[in-house]
Amino acid sequence: MLKTGTLELNVENTETAKDIVTQEVKKYDGFIQSENISLNNNEKKIAYLKVKVPIQKLDYLMDDISRIGVIENKGTEISGQNYVENTMSDLEITLYGTTEGYTGIDKPKSFGDESFDAISSGWSVITGIFLFMLPFWPLFLIIGIGYYFYKKKNKNIPNNQSN
């Protein structure tokens, strides 16, 4: 008896999903026969994995791997009739996901876009400075009160200027 399975998933991050699949395959006493990673034109990273796993654990492995993404295609095929213990089954896994460090070519920015970016980065600097100084408000309050009383004291003292 031979059992083969196919599983296609949409995932957030292809590399992370591939690592999870590798762990799950090892958990079910299987191994990765081959893997291929390609970059599609529309910023999609696709990982193709061929896995060998014991025939009695194939369904459990497919169920666990199905939880890491959205299922596009899932199927199993059984051929033969004589069940033999320790037979390895094949599983083809395809992971469709986004690229982690994709560097696409950006379109040139207009003057307005660059101006807005400059203003927003300047505002970020101002808020950063304000947030840095915020914990020191009691010190500023004490200095302000001290300055107020210093000026009030100097105002009440008559001028000692010679005429």
Side-chain angles (χ1 to χ4, degrees), residues 12 16 48 51 59 85 94 100-101 126 141 146 150 156 159 163:
E12 286 291 319
T16 305
Y48 302 98
V51 173
D59 293 327
E85 195 75 25
T94 307
E100 194 172 39
I126 291 171
L141 183 64
Y150 173 75
N156 292 336
N159 290 342
N163 288 343

Side-chain angles (χ1 to χ4, degrees), residues 106-117:
D106 293 335
K107 63 178 184 174
K109 291 185 175 184
S110 68
F111 177 75
D113 291 337
E114 289 184 15
S115 299
F116 180 75
D117 288 345

Side-chain angles (χ1 to χ4, degrees), residues 17-71:
K18 186 176 72 78
D19 292 341
I20 293 170
V21 168
T22 303
Q23 292 172 359
E24 291 293 324
V25 168
K26 288 179 184 176
K27 183 172 101 175
Y28 287 105
D29 302 322
F31 62 92
I32 295 177
Q33 187 176 10
S34 68
E35 74 178 65
N36 183 14
I37 298 176
S38 65
L39 185 62
N40 201 350
N41 290 341
N42 56 357
E43 300 179 18
K44 291 281 187 180
K45 195 172 197 179
I46 303 171
Y48 302 98
L49 302 165
K50 288 189 179 185
V51 173
K52 291 272 194 183
V53 68
I55 194 167
Q56 61 271 22
K57 298 180 181 180
L58 177 67
D59 293 327
Y60 301 116
L61 176 63
M62 288 179 68
D63 288 340
D64 284 354
I65 292 175
S66 296
R67 293 187 183 113
I68 64 172
V70 178
I71 299 171

